Amino acid sequence: MLQYLHDLWKRIKRPKPGLVAFPEIFEHFQELLQNHQRVMELIADLGEKSGGEYIFDRKYLADTIDEMHTRLLHMVQGLNLITSGRYLELHPTLDRIFVPLESELRGRLSLAGEMPRIVSLAEAPLDRPELTGGKANNLAVIIQNLQLPVPPGFVITTRAYRLFLDHNQLEERIHAWLESWAAGEQDERQTSRQIQYSILAGVVPQEAATEIKRQAGKGGAYWAIRSSAYGEDGELTFAGLHESLLNVPPRGVIQAYKKVLASLYSPEALVYRQKMGMLGEEAAMAVLAQEIVPSRVSGLMHTLDISAEECDCLVVYASWGLGRTVAEGRGLVDRFVVERVYPHRIRRQEIAAKKTLVRPQTGGGEEVAQVPQEEREAATLSEGQVHQLVRWALTLERYFKRPQEVEWAVDQNGQCFILQSRGLLFPKVAAPPKQDICESCAQYPVLLRDTGVVAHAGVGAGVVAQVSSDLDMNRFPEGAVLVTKYTAPWLARIVPRAAAIIAERGSAAGHLATIAREFRVPTLVGVEGATEFLKEGMQITVDTKGRIVYDGRVNELLQYELVQSLAFEDAPEFRLLRRLLSRIAPLHLIDPTAPDFNPPGCRSVHDVIRFIHEKAVEELMDLPGLVKRFKGVHIFTLVSDIPLGLKILDLGGGIAPEAAGSNLYPEQIRSAPMKALWEGLSGPGVWSTEPVPVDFKGMMSSLSKTWAETPGAATVSGFNLAVITETYMNLHLRLGYHFNLVDARIDPDPQRNHIYFRFVGGVTDLTRRSRRAQLLANILSHYHFKVDTKGDLVVAKVLHLPREDQEHRLRVLGRLIGFTRQLDIQLRSDEDIPEFVEAFFEQNTPA
Amino acid sequence: MKDQLKILVLDDEPIVCKRLKPALEKLGYEVDTFIQSVEAMHQIHQTSYDIVITDLKMKEIDGMRFLEEVKKQHPQTEVIVITGFATMETAKQSFRKGVFDFIAKPFKLSEIQEVVNRAAAKIKGAAA
């Protein structure tokens, strides 16, 4: 094809001096498109790798980022060649995005300047437990991802701890004391006393102190100040070794902070760390401050019964007042044994005679008091509260992939809160005897095997709930297995509630797969016939790691996954990948007319390539103007009954070789996307030339509107343009005042396929135009497009569909372009929308 | 349970061992994993494995020496080599002899499971 281009360009006259040669523009544009495509693939690849089906190492990550960087440099150069250097500021933009990516890869970012010293749980970065500590990181995930109620709080990060040590010149002194202890010159009590004294005497740096006071002043009257060390609540537990201070008034938070820091060096903690061989490593402590819930009832839940009496049950322990009664085993507590399986029957409840409770003391601190006589023998929790807590505990377990120990509280109004969740520690003997997992699974009938693509690896069990419309979504039971034909974006809402997902279509790089990974829901896509084999209400177990679906609930497998196998999501490589992805994949630049659609507005790699693509296409859009300057470029005019005035520029294989002269006939189109779109557009009844009935308001608006109101309208010399190849189409179509852009590729490999559709403008007032945007969004989402609307702008895209699905959607787009041509005039009120959607579906089968 | 095949995995990236062990156990294999080649070397002198999965590029010794040692100790052991994508071709050329198959990093769990199953079928076929 390159040869063809060269030959073509040789015939073209040299342009005026100062302008980039026309052939070069196209070469750069083509190269830019290829690089764009490749970077999109790399992004999709990284996303797929985060699903757990692949085994990768750091080298893979480094190589991928490296290639991405190189490609982007070429794209920036290409764009600047096309536009005579108008976007040179993209170079610093690239640096701004790639320097942190490369520091992440070298593991040097964690304590760098951009990391916060103090941050609220609601805003704390996820996947940075080395900054916020295990406990706070879990809470941030519970708040931000799982959206369960947690009392507000903030973290004083490990970075603040470092600054505290620096500020007080403590690091070397602590090191020296520890060394002399290790050498046997001092015992742990002396060592501990010296270190703790110097920490308590230290001064918190001014900036940090101000921020702590500000955060502490925001919330409730009292705070719980706890350690959140890295590794704590993780593989090693320091549970109980570090100090927790309850009921601290705002003015006492800084002193409490130092006390908790000092507890890192208590004699017990020192001995423990020495025993675990961790003394050599630098200890870094983050501290969590959480608002105190003046709880009426509080307690713990274990998602696995450690006493192993009933391994199919959870256990809830509860007592009156604040949490210490249960946690420290201070007295008799209520015990509820609840079945793990829906509807979570309470199998037993043992109500204890509760004599004492812990309650807040006025002025700070806490005290032990007598339980009033009438409450001693009463159950602390209602059945509804038990169920609520149990559902949350299972959600936590599903997400963290480990049996959980959950601290909770119920306030005076009866509202429940999660206070903490951590991996449950249990003696190995408590876990059932290890049997051969392969043999156990073999006893269950297999419904599906070796089909589909893994979007997120894992195991989940539940009843099948098929979802095909919004209505089904509201009925979706917590912890069910979602079975669906398509991975439509609107399913995103129920992903967090699903135990597993099976979709007949979709790809591991698609939108639903991305969401599933965010919520760690085991997901298989591309499972043909799933909705047929997996009937509503069936109990199934989905093992996406083995790509097997079992009939029934395979308890042995579920237990094995929870207890034996590694939660890959928490492996350092996966955390690193997710941190990299958060700087690469999100797309913030959607609307090209927004004021921040510029290089400084680019926040991710995806933003940059989106920006470059848009600007390059924009440049190409001015082709009508450019083409005039470069006489001799062969542009065909499409001859048809439909008055589009469409010009076609073929970059290779898009038209029949025998096409000659300046006219092209529809049957000579070879470009797959163009062909499909044209079939839709030229279909019977689509291009209605009947005058549209216009009501008064619509008509007045049409009359009074001038061309100049639509940006660029006046400068366009009245022709529409399609740039095509055999597999690609970029179509710009201005119809009246509407502006359509369709960019599509149909390749034999679905991974390369996309349809991008943009629609803007219109003749009537903004309300009506927005109404039309809503209508389009409505229709497009039925065809599984991911749609964003903003005012009268509609941006829709769909990725990675196989050929026939792509063609179907392009035909629909063709019809839709015809259908909506003058629609805003007809749409008089919001109530009209459903009627028009119906009208459209009547003529076009929804997918 | 008696005719369970034994697999040794050696890779200095802990993530590879941690992921492979449960994935292969679920297929019914008995799996030992090592991130230190010294320990793996010691182990193959103690025990005979049906299948050995090893990385080629490791910090301490190269996979080639380990592989040769495996074959010397137990010629019937099937060896599967993991290698970086870039070095795949060189690896194939220099090790074609005696290696059951090659897998390029990053790889899918299902890919390696499939290769291991093929190796197991070969071993069982030879035994029958």
Side-chain angles (χ1 to χ4, degrees), chain B residues 7-81:
Chain B
I7 300 181
L8 179 145
V9 179
L10 168 62
D11 196 311
D12 62 349
E13 296 258 1
I15 181 87
V16 176
C17 296
K18 282 189 192 167
R19 301 285 323 272
L20 279 184
K21 190 176 163 71
L24 295 173
E25 275 180 0
K26 276 208 287 191
L27 293 180
Y29 300 103
E30 195 184 322
V31 185
D32 291 327
T33 63
F34 296 89
I35 50 172
Q36 303 262 346
S37 47
V38 187
E39 287 172 20
M41 201 64 120
H42 179 74
Q43 181 70 13
I44 55 161
H45 286 102
Q46 311 295 314
T47 319
S48 122
Y49 286 89
D50 300 292
I51 299 172
V52 165
I53 302 173
T54 177
D55 191 3
L56 264 197
K57 280 203 165 168
M58 288 172 290
K59 280 167 216 146
E60 287 164 33
I61 59 159
D62 68 74
M64 191 199 262
R65 253 194 59 208
F66 180 68
L67 192 155
E68 283 166 1
E69 195 59 31
V70 168
K71 278 292 187 187
K72 206 174 102 190
Q73 293 292 321
H74 314 285
Q76 72 288 4
T77 301
E78 296 297 347
V79 179
I80 297 166
V81 167

Side-chain angles (χ1 to χ4, degrees), chain A residues 316-332:
Chain A
V316 183
Y317 302 93
S319 71
W320 298 116
L322 294 178
R324 287 205 174 180
T325 316
V326 173
E328 295 172 7
R330 279 177 185 235
L332 290 173

Side-chain angles (χ1 to χ4, degrees), chain A residues 49 52-57 60 436 438-439 543 557 560-561 565-566 568 571 573-574, chain B residues 1 4 13 15-16 18-20 22 25-28 105-111 113:
Chain A
K49 298 293 181 292
E53 163 74 344
Y54 285 86
I55 293 181
F56 60 88
D57 51 20
Y60 158 75
D436 184 67
C438 181
E439 282 182 10
D543 177 356
L557 179 60
Y560 176 87
E561 287 296 326
S565 102
L566 164 96
F568 71 84
E573 288 80 0
F574 280 87
Chain B
M1 291 280 283
Q4 227 183 2
E13 296 258 1
I15 181 87
V16 176
K18 282 189 192 167
R19 301 285 323 272
L20 279 184
E25 275 180 0
K26 276 208 287 191
L27 293 180
K105 269 187 196 173
F107 54 87
K108 282 185 181 184
L109 278 178
S110 53
E111 277 174 54
Q113 286 172 332

Side-chain angles (χ1 to χ4, degrees), chain A residues 62-83:
Chain A
D63 289 349
T64 308
I65 304 292
D66 199 44
E67 185 184 344
M68 221 176 242
H69 199 170
T70 312
R71 300 252 172 198
L72 270 156
L73 279 169
H74 284 150
M75 286 180 77
V76 170
Q77 281 159 3
L79 180 67
N80 277 306
L81 283 165
I82 293 172
T83 61

